[in-house]
Amino acid sequence: MTSRRAVLGSAIVGTTAAALPGGAHAAPAAPSSPVQGSGRRWKLRNRMESDGAWADFLRKQDLVWRRMPTLWHEGPFLGDGRLGSMVYREPEANSIRFTVQHGEVQDHRPQFGSGWGTCRLPVGHLTLDPVGTISAVDWRLSLWNAELTGTITTDKGTLTLSALIHDGIFAARVRADGDEEVRWTFHPEEAISPRKISEAPPAGYVANPPWSTRTSGDVEQVLQPLLGGGQTATAYRRSGDTLLLSVAHSHPSDTRAGEVSLRKIQRAPSYGVLRRLHTRWWHAFYRKSFVSFPDERLQSFHWIQLYKVASASRADGPVMATCGPWLEPTPWPAVWWNLNVQLEYWLIHGSNHLELDSLATTLRQNQEQLIANVPAAYRSDSAGVGRSSDMFMNRSAPTPGSGGESGNLTWALHNVWLSYRHTMDEALLRDTVYPLLRRTINYYLHFLQPDSDGKLHLPSTLSPEYPVVPPKDTNYDLALIRWGCTTLLEAAERLGVDDPLKPRWQEVLAKLTPYPVDENGYMIGADTPYAQSHRHYSHLLMVYPLYLVNWEQPEQRELIEKSIVHWHAVTGSHRGYSYTGAASMYAMMGRGSTALEYLKKFFDPSTRYPCRANTHYTEAGPVIETPLSASQSLHDMLCQSWGGVVRVFPAVPDSWADVTLHDFRTQGAFLVSAVRKGGVTRFVRVRSLAGERLEIRHGLTGGAVTAVLDDGSRARTHTTDDGTLVIELAKGREVLLYAGERPELDIAPVELSEPGEPWGLP
């Protein structure tokens, strides 16, 4: 039986020790492990405190181009969470394309579905049109400054370029030398679904009207009306060597976007002022955490993903669509809720970037729509969302029994629960997680029925995109129901809510049918084996990311491993996130080298769908989630915190002798800093942001372990039977752990042992 601690994650919550005079804490009468205090104050020496150190380190992670990118997944990319631009050669032209796309620009005709009626809509693109024939480029995408710089060489001279996006403004500064000239052209694009590349419009669909143009002083505008109401407006101005452009979208107003975009450009500061504001934001962003490991190309990849997710999402902006703010022709011009959106946001937690969590914002702001998505008979107590939707979550949820995907909102709420667990923000639990999770589990409860075996069973639902629908008891949904009921009970206790549904949740946990299993491991559902290759791992959700069934349950290990091996043994349909998912599962097992082996399959150009030159990813169209989930796989190798326990360096590959972590955020709202040298963990420092009891597996070896607080006093600790160190750590306090003599407490980049070339086209 699954242990309560393994399931709940945050169920074991201790009481912070009362502070004694002088800031000391009472020591346990009889410590159960050899933990001793040092009586000396300590402080980390952070060699990444200065701008110079960060600039030097991140410059080594930059993307560079010595060849012209000809496709979107080869070129530089810029963004501010709403406005986005990708840079590559204009097809069949002697020009450079800068795409102009925006995460809030969409259609508003829900009668045509999310693929056509409420899809993301194209805006347009700029071209930089040299006089001469382009012969060479030399570009660098600076992560530290989030700025593209470089030169374009032609047979007439040179164009020197700088470009960035800040606060809704695309800003480019280009200077011409020789006989070259700076010439910009804006090309509006038809306001029709990018899905047109894969299918014809639905019956009755009428194209949106054509755009119009107008001039207001020195500002040009393109105005796009929409049949479903609303307007998209692009405003731009050329002044000297600088081009400024902004996009606005309004609905239902058909004039406000034009007013907003015009005002934005009229009031815009110079490139230099914009750049100062821009770099101030980005420099503060990077300082929130630090990680370094000795694989040069993977380390660079990881830092590029942090740049990417901050370019694609901000907490006050739209939830990320499958392609982020960089719309291209695609069958998926919407938000996909059956895996994509969940994977997109995982890395923001460990990297300490909750300011990017537009997923939690979206769910909180659109609760009424989520209620309206279920049939009217269930709206009094239920909520849900279908496979894909617009940014406002407008998509009907299928009913259990119809063979549709019923668990997507529940899985999305797991992400928001992770945000709660990493912040311990009770308002997030009270106002978003609890009310919505209560409704999405209620939706299931309407359909659970007892059978002759005395167990509760679920009628037919779909394991996302698997080609066979189980007649009942789909593992995807069973795992989410178990997690949801467990989390609701925990949340009610935490919030002090005497919920009348508590007995029902307890009954479900006691009587819900076991997961269907056969000789190959977890099945898709009842009478439905995993028999066809499948990119999704939804049938393994109880293993990852829910950890309901996990490696710390010895009786489950054979089943877990058999299931993962069989999932990958049936080949043909695996995609990038199939490899990142397996990497994270092997990291749970503590097998770092195997995890790295699977992760590197995503970067293997011989696979059908590898990571692309600029770290983006494509299948039938752009899909942003897989590279971002690859960064989470790296996180899972370096630090895990499921089941209420922080695990430091749980699955470091054998080839990574040295690793540095600083301010890695974990569940329980702890910031972990740790250094590994020569394959040995030297020290671990933990700072508490919420006063939760710390349970940690530190991995320290080589002598008695010292646990000392930031004032030099001894920490109050004890050790559990499984070797977990438990520390009472007050909010705002820090504890240092080390074995033997105190080591050097340095936070610094590690030396590279596996060199690799830069990303881009070097």
Side-chain angles (χ1 to χ4, degrees), residues 60 62 294-298 300 752-759 762:
K60 298 170 185 175
D62 287 348
D295 185 316
E296 184 172 20
R297 191 158 164 85
L298 267 184
S300 174
L752 300 172
S753 60
E754 187 172 345
E757 67 178 9
W759 293 89

Side-chain angles (χ1 to χ4, degrees), residues 86 143 181 257 353 398 401 628 638:
M86 284 188 156
L143 301 185
E181 298 177 11
H353 288 301
L628 300 182
L638 302 180

Side-chain angles (χ1 to χ4, degrees), residues 222-495:
V222 175
L223 306 174
Q224 174 65 64
L226 301 173
L227 287 176
Q231 178 191 52
T232 301
T234 305
Y236 54 96
R237 178 180 66 197
R238 169 90 183 272
S239 178
D241 57 12
T242 300
L243 174 79
L244 302 178
L245 178 147
S246 186
V247 176
H249 182 79
S250 60
H251 181 267
S253 171
D254 57 7
T255 60
R256 179 166 170 74
E259 297 163 1
V260 170
S261 63
L262 176 62
R263 187 164 58 247
K264 189 79 170 179
I265 294 301
Q266 288 174 332
R267 298 178 179 179
S270 67
Y271 188 95
V273 172
L274 273 172
R275 188 181 187 277
R276 284 195 295 274
L277 296 170
H278 177 71
T279 56
R280 183 186 304 163
W281 189 94
W282 281 94
H283 295 176
F285 168 80
Y286 287 117
R287 292 176 183 273
K288 292 186 178 180
S289 64
F290 180 72
V291 59
S292 179
F293 48 91
D295 185 316
E296 184 172 20
R297 191 158 164 85
L298 267 184
Q299 177 176 260
S300 174
F301 170 86
H302 175 66
W303 285 98
I304 294 166
Q305 301 324 295
L306 290 181
Y307 164 79
K308 183 188 295 178
V309 72
S311 299
S313 180
R314 305 287 169 87
D316 61 350
V319 65
M320 279 186 275
T322 56
C323 51
W326 302 291
L327 192 64
E328 294 279 340
T330 177
W332 307 303
V335 183
W336 251 252
W337 294 98
N338 62 1
L339 173 142
N340 305 71
V341 80
Q342 289 86 349
L343 273 62
E344 289 166 4
Y345 285 90
W346 283 340
L347 84 162
I348 69 174
H349 300 121
S351 61
N352 196 20
H353 288 301
L354 277 300
E355 74 276 16
L356 306 180
D357 193 0
S358 56
L359 175 56
T361 306
T362 295
L363 267 64
R364 182 178 68 249
Q365 293 178 343
N366 293 285
Q367 296 187 46
E368 291 186 8
Q369 180 61 58
L370 292 168
I371 294 168
N373 286 342
V374 300
Y378 307 107
R379 289 174 189 163
S380 64
D381 63 4
S382 301
V385 70
R387 176 178 294 184
S388 59
S389 79
D390 64 355
M391 60 180 283
F392 304 110
M393 306 195 71
N394 185 350
R395 179 68 183 271
S396 296
T399 55
S402 68
E405 293 171 356
S406 300
N408 298 337
L409 176 57
T410 315
W411 191 7
L413 283 165
H414 179 260
N415 279 64
V416 186
W417 177 82
L418 286 174
S419 292
Y420 157 68
R421 284 289 299 143
H422 282 79
T423 60
M424 302 309 296
D425 177 1
E426 195 165 286
L428 183 59
L429 180 66
R430 181 185 62 249
D431 300 336
T432 305
V433 177
Y434 190 76
L436 278 176
L437 187 58
R438 191 178 189 273
R439 281 182 167 273
T440 189
I441 293 300
N442 269 343
Y443 196 39
Y444 280 123
L445 298 185
H446 287 293
F447 301 94
L448 284 175
Q449 294 293 330
D451 207 342
S452 57
D453 60 0
K455 298 294 184 180
L456 293 171
H457 294 266
L458 189 70
S460 77
T461 56
L462 178 65
S463 189
E465 301 183 30
Y466 193 74
V468 179
V469 180
K472 63 179 181 177
D473 298 335
T474 300
N475 268 330
Y476 174 66
D477 297 278
L478 295 182
L480 290 167
I481 291 169
R482 283 194 169 90
W483 172 79
C485 288
T486 302
T487 301
L488 284 168
L489 289 167
E490 174 190 344
E493 182 177 355
R494 182 93 187 191
L495 296 170

Side-chain angles (χ1 to χ4, degrees), residues 291 293-306 347 350 544 579-581 583-584 587 592 595-597 599-600 602-603 626-640 649-653 656 659 661 664 759:
V291 59
F293 48 91
D295 185 316
E296 184 172 20
R297 191 158 164 85
L298 267 184
Q299 177 176 260
S300 174
F301 170 86
H302 175 66
W303 285 98
I304 294 166
Q305 301 324 295
L306 290 181
L347 84 162
Y544 184 83
Y579 305 125
T580 67
S584 288
L596 181 60
E597 179 182 338
L599 181 59
K600 285 196 170 182
F602 173 53
F603 301 98
T626 297
L628 300 182
S629 73
S631 264
Q632 179 59 32
S633 299
L634 291 167
H635 283 181
D636 290 333
M637 296 178 201
L638 302 180
C639 191
Q640 301 173 21
F649 300 139
V652 176
W656 294 2
V659 180
L661 282 182
F664 187 96
W759 293 89

Side-chain angles (χ1 to χ4, degrees), residues 571-613:
T571 60
S573 294
H574 295 146
R575 299 293 188 266
Y577 57 72
S578 309
Y579 305 125
T580 67
S584 288
M585 293 179 199
Y586 280 107
M588 175 196 64
M589 301 181 196
R591 299 180 185 175
S593 295
T594 305
L596 181 60
E597 179 182 338
Y598 271 90
L599 181 59
K600 285 196 170 182
K601 289 178 184 288
F602 173 53
F603 301 98
D604 183 350
S606 69
T607 61
R608 189 177 177 190
Y609 296 101
C611 186
R612 298 296 187 167

